[in-house]
Amino acid sequence: MLMEDSGCMMLLETSHEQNSKYAHLTSHYVVAGLPFEMKVIEQTGESGWYVQIGSHTDDLTDCDEYRRWPVITTSQRIPKLLSESINMYSPVGGLLYLVAPTGDEASSITVQLSNVVPTPTYDLTDANRETKWNTSGKQADGLWADLAGNYMILSVPSATIRNIDTEALDRVLELYDNIVLAGYDLCGTTSTSRERLVCDEQISCGYMHSGYPIMSHLDYLKLTERNIPYILDEKALRNYGGEGEWGIPHELGHNRQKDWWTFSDTDDITCNIFSLYVTNTVYGRDLWEISVFGGSCAENAIAYLSGSNQSFEEWKKDYYVGLTIYGQLAREFGWDSFKAIFRTYENTQPELNSDQEKIDLWVKTFSEQVQKNLVPLFQLWGLIVSDAIANKLEDFDIPKIDDQFIQAVPGKYPA
């Protein structure tokens, strides 16, 4: 709710779960070097709100080279006392956010802003979004834009979105929502805040990385044949490489994965269970015909199985070799088995102190869920189950699996 009064007054009300940090959009931008003022008009409930300038929160201090200044966001705690005000500025400017407290009590805040400019903002939750976008929103002066679905917010340069129509924005934001929801559907948890994805000139590590926000390089903004930035082209995302965008579900998978069922050095394996799920259920691809189970990936997996050293340490060195057994489990027993198992972990929250304990519990839980003895399958890939667990599962039948990987190593798998 916006009201003009010596600047702009913004009423923001929110309720939030315990420990759910969330940066609320203000639809405003702070101009580089120009101080702005924020006065608290009303604040109820949980205290500890912050005001933040900038969406690019990666700290590049430890990087070997800089393509941008190492730290370009700034934040300040909002005072509880209504008589106080905040005066801030940023040498580089940035989108303006109000960051919610992380307590478990509902809260609301009303602030008055001065010396800020409107910035392009499109929010799928706003029933008037089409009118706002077409009348003034997409041409607002702020240099960066926030595009928000129900479950994901994208921060991109304003120059990249001024010619995109609302139908295209609705389609791509709904796709991102479906990708995010797929992850929650698989692991059995619920969203406490919208995920965020920010494009940046330079990020702190990798090609992309997970977290809040997920960070990507600016090449995600390259134009497609429809003259739309790739990151905002629903068709391009669905059909990338003939299979669909993998990187964003991969990073969201990192945000969903749990240590209970992620063995040491396998973070980039188990997060891709979510990429598989999205590729299969959101993009509609046949799970066993995507590239991670074919071509050079399949050749590497077969070479590993055909070699003389199938061990946990070797298995986890190649992420796609490591992922193959999860694909086998999904194909043989369906995604509902994963859903049930992840929910079991969420309900029990086991205390596990070693990889062996994690492997044992995963194999035991999966075997009991599908009523099959999966010990031989895991041991084929080099994941050795303890004798105690193996003995408990002997009464289950060994599943008959006949795929290219089993066929490539006759005699190594007993069924």
Side-chain angles (χ1 to χ4, degrees), residues 249-324:
H250 171 98
E251 302 305 342
L252 287 167
H254 277 306
N255 286 356
R256 299 285 83 77
Q257 71 187 161
K258 295 295 178 65
D259 187 60
W260 304 314
W261 39 264
T262 298
F263 319 137
S264 63
D265 304 319
T266 66
D267 296 56
D268 280 317
I269 296 175
T270 62
C271 74
N272 278 330
I273 299 172
F274 295 89
S275 300
L276 292 179
Y277 186 64
V278 167
T279 301
N280 187 207
T281 64
V282 178
Y283 305 150
R285 308 298 180 192
D286 186 314
L287 187 63
W288 216 241
E289 294 187 2
I290 62 176
S291 59
V292 296
F293 300 132
S296 61
C297 292
E299 291 173 2
N300 291 339
I302 290 171
Y304 166 75
L305 291 176
S306 303
S308 58
N309 183 15
Q310 289 81 49
S311 66
F312 175 60
E313 294 300 325
E314 288 299 314
W315 168 79
K316 65 185 180 179
K317 285 181 179 179
D318 185 314
Y319 300 147
Y320 297 120
V321 169
L323 184 62
T324 304

Side-chain angles (χ1 to χ4, degrees), residues 38 48-52 75-78 86 97-101:
M38 187 184 79
W49 286 85
Y50 278 79
V51 58
Q52 176 179 308
S75 64
Q76 186 172 327
R77 187 182 179 95
I78 297 175
I86 289 177
Y97 300 98
L98 297 179
V99 182

Side-chain angles (χ1 to χ4, degrees), residues 24-26 28 30 36 51-53 94-98 113 116:
H24 291 269
L25 310 183
T26 68
H28 284 82
V30 177
F36 83 97
V51 58
Q52 176 179 308
I53 304 173
L95 291 162
L96 184 64
Y97 300 98
L98 297 179
L113 305 173
V116 294

Side-chain angles (χ1 to χ4, degrees), residues 52-201:
Q52 176 179 308
I53 304 173
S55 57
H56 301 80
T57 53
D58 263 11
D59 185 342
L60 309 183
T61 302
D62 293 332
C63 293
D64 294 332
E65 62 178 11
Y66 300 142
R67 299 198 305 275
R68 69 153 170 85
W69 195 251
V71 178
I72 58 174
T73 58
T74 184
S75 64
Q76 186 172 327
R77 187 182 179 95
I78 297 175
K80 180 70 173 178
L81 298 176
L82 301 185
S83 59
E84 296 186 44
S85 62
I86 289 177
N87 288 276
M88 293 177 65
Y89 82 99
S90 165
V92 295
L95 291 162
L96 184 64
Y97 300 98
L98 297 179
V99 182
T102 56
D104 56 0
E105 182 183 357
S107 63
S108 66
I109 192 168
T110 307
V111 298
Q112 180 176 324
L113 305 173
S114 300
N115 291 333
V116 294
V117 298
T119 205
T121 305
Y122 190 82
D123 195 332
L124 208 57
T125 66
D126 185 350
N128 297 316
R129 62 187 181 276
E130 181 176 0
T131 299
K132 291 179 180 178
W133 187 252
N134 290 328
T135 54
S136 61
K138 63 183 177 182
Q139 299 300 333
D141 291 333
L143 299 182
W144 280 76
D146 276 323
L147 309 174
N150 291 285
Y151 298 97
M152 172 78 93
I153 300 171
L154 311 177
S155 298
V156 299
S158 298
T160 66
I161 52 83
R162 299 199 189 277
N163 295 320
I164 302 180
D165 62 46
T166 58
E167 290 184 3
L169 289 175
D170 280 357
R171 284 195 302 270
V172 75
L173 292 173
E174 287 167 1
L175 174 61
Y176 281 113
D177 281 350
N178 288 334
I179 292 171
V180 174
L181 285 175
Y184 285 114
D185 176 51
L186 182 59
C187 69
T189 58
T190 56
S191 170
T192 58
S193 62
R194 290 192 271 196
E195 298 280 351
R196 294 183 57 229
L197 172 59
V198 177
C199 297
D200 200 345
E201 170 63 29

Side-chain angles (χ1 to χ4, degrees), residues 160 219-230 233:
T160 66
D219 60 355
Y220 259 77
L221 297 168
K222 63 185 178 183
L223 294 180
T224 67
E225 60 186 14
R226 283 167 289 279
N227 204 35
I228 299 173
Y230 170 76
D233 189 329

